[in-house]
């Protein structure tokens, strides 16, 4: 079911874990925010707020990081996916260090936090980015594309040239129910052969079988196995939802990608925002306006860019 009014979390809720790449402990708190505030990361140790927006992305190597000046928050994509997937428009994501805790490597713990907090509906109508013209990026055999559609859907094809991850695809039309049931529990993954290289680069210091699927040349090393037969493709869908959330509002459009990653996802977001003719930003001002979103003739907000 679509939500036509903006939503935030109803109360403060917290969790504690370690950063996947930094290995540093971190406490994260979801806190209520006012209408039109959007999602904002707050470095509590520095007292600096970082809006969750594409123009503040500073790094896309193995995760997505945003920063204002020297204040950075890394690995934002899983909590962004959870908030976007659960229909949360406005939230303060408070963290006391440089990286979001990885928890179990999926978005499911953040979905649980949203349930624990409860959802508060605000009086303002939601804003949507409605895709009017296809925007595409290609880099060899990698493709990322956002095109017009009557709903927000995400399709991803993963192919790592590995016996367990070859031409694996998953597609979903996003609602809070489908996100929670089909996407949220899919975990991040890595190859055993890459772990030493990543750690030499100062990455994956907090990685373990508790928070990632680890794959060797032929098998899954996690004793419990996979949560879904196509968990790899589902997690890439999860990452894409989190990356597209940095458009700053829900999307009415279809995203499809093959072998894309955070860098290409964010490059596509940047290209969409730069091409004003590719989209409209619209606001549903009242429940009566809601059907017009699906009719693709919503009430227009002046200007094609995010306000």
């Amino acid at each position: 079911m679509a939500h036509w009014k903006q939503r935030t979390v109803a109360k403060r809720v917290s969790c504690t874990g370690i950063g996947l790449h930094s290995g540093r402990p971190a406490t994260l708190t979801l806190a209520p925010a006012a209408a039109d505030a959007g999602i904002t990361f707050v470095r509590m140790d520095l007292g600096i707020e970082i809006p969750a927006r594409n123009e503040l992305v500073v790094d896309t190597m193995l995760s997505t990081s945003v920063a204002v000046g020297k204040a950075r928050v890394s690995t934002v994509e899983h909590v962004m996916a959870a908030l976007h997937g659960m229909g949360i428009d406005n939230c303060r994501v408070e963290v006391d260090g440089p990286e979001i805790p990885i928890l179990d490597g999926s978005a499911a713990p953040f979905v649980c936090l949203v349930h624990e907090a409860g959802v508060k509906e605000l009086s303002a109508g939601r804003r949507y980015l409605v895709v009017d013209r296809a925007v595409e990026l290609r880099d060899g055999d990698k493709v990322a594309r956002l095109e017009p559609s009557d709903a927000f859907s995400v399709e991803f094809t993963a192919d790592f040239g590995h016996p367990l991850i070859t031409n694996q695809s998953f597609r979903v039309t996003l609602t809070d129910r489908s996100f929670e049931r089909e996407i949220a529990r899919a975990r991040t993954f890595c190859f055993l052969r890459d772990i030493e290289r990543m750690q030499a680069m100062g990455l994956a210091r907090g990685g373990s079988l508790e928070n990632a699927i680890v794959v060797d040349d032929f098998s899954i090393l996690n004793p419990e196995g996979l949560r879904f037969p196509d968990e790899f493709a589902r997690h890439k869908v999860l990452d894409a939802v989190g990356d597209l959330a940095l458009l700053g509002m829900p999307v009415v459009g279809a995203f499809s990608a093959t072998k894309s990653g955070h860098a290409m996802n964010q490059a596509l977001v940047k290209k969409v925002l730069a091409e004003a003719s590719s989209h409209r930003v619209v606001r549903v001002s009242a429940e009566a306006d809601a059907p017009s979103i699906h009719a693709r003739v919503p009430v227009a907000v002046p200007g094609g860019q995010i306000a």
Side-chain angles (χ1 to χ4, degrees):
M1 178 180 175
H3 310 286
W4 307 116
K5 292 184 178 179
Q6 291 185 32
R7 310 202 307 172
T8 187
V9 291
K11 65 177 183 181
R12 296 172 61 86
V13 289
S14 301
C15 66
T16 300
I18 63 167
L20 175 63
H21 294 301
S22 66
R24 293 176 55 173
T27 297
L28 174 143
T29 299
L30 302 183
D36 292 326
I39 309 298
T40 303
F41 293 97
V42 186
R43 280 289 301 268
M44 300 300 286
D45 52 329
L46 302 176
I48 295 177
E49 298 190 5
I50 308 169
R53 297 279 284 272
N54 169 265
E55 62 262 31
L56 298 178
V57 171
V58 292
D59 192 0
T60 52
M61 180 179 287
L62 302 178
S63 67
T64 297
S65 302
V66 293
V68 168
K70 294 183 179 180
R72 174 188 289 227
V73 177
S74 299
T75 317
V76 303
E77 59 272 13
H78 298 171
V79 68
M80 287 300 297
L83 293 170
H84 197 69
M86 298 301 288
I88 301 297
D89 304 281
N90 308 291
C91 185
R92 284 171 55 92
V93 183
E94 301 172 355
V95 63
D96 60 358
E99 189 175 16
I100 301 297
I102 191 62
L103 304 176
D104 76 343
S106 78
F110 299 119
V111 169
C112 289
L113 278 184
V114 172
H115 283 305
E116 181 184 343
V119 174
K120 180 181 179 182
E121 192 173 81
L122 304 171
S123 58
R126 297 188 91 184
R127 295 187 306 157
Y128 291 81
L129 188 143
V130 179
V131 180
D132 287 325
R133 176 176 55 78
V135 178
E136 181 177 282
L137 287 177
R138 288 182 176 268
D139 180 10
D141 59 353
K142 300 177 182 178
V143 183
R145 178 181 175 89
L146 189 61
E147 60 189 319
S149 175
D150 291 334
F152 179 42
S153 66
V154 178
E155 181 174 12
F156 200 100
T157 300
D159 191 340
F160 287 86
H162 186 281
L164 296 175
I165 320 172
T166 300
N167 205 32
Q168 186 177 112
S169 296
F170 188 76
R171 182 188 183 279
V172 64
T173 298
L174 262 292
T175 65
D176 48 5
R177 181 170 294 180
S178 68
F179 180 83
E180 184 172 0
R181 288 182 175 180
E182 301 186 45
I183 302 300
R185 294 177 61 246
R187 294 162 294 173
T188 194
F189 57 93
C190 65
F191 297 99
L192 184 63
R193 62 176 181 260
D194 293 334
I195 291 177
E196 285 187 4
R197 178 179 59 83
M198 288 191 292
Q199 291 179 337
M201 296 168 63
L203 301 170
R205 291 174 175 172
S208 73
L209 294 177
E210 302 298 316
N211 56 37
I213 304 167
V214 181
V215 185
D216 68 11
D217 289 341
F218 304 103
S219 62
I220 307 295
L221 299 188
N222 304 63
E224 75 278 13
L226 296 176
R227 294 176 176 177
F228 306 95
D230 52 0
E231 189 167 358
F232 305 102
R234 290 180 192 239
H235 185 78
K236 297 296 281 186
V237 167
L238 188 161
D239 278 347
V241 172
D243 282 333
L244 289 173
L246 292 175
L247 282 162
M249 65 190 72
V251 175
V252 181
F255 174 84
S256 57
T258 300
K259 301 176 72 170
S260 180
H262 299 298
M264 182 171 269
N265 293 346
Q266 290 302 332
L268 182 69
V269 169
K270 186 180 295 290
K271 187 174 183 182
V272 169
L273 293 174
E275 297 182 8
S277 63
S278 71
H279 64 278
R280 287 169 290 153
V281 175
V282 304
R283 185 191 292 272
V284 180
S285 58
E287 191 124 350
D289 292 334
S292 66
I293 283 287
H294 291 285
R296 297 191 55 76
V297 286
V299 179
V301 171
Q305 293 287 347
I306 293 177

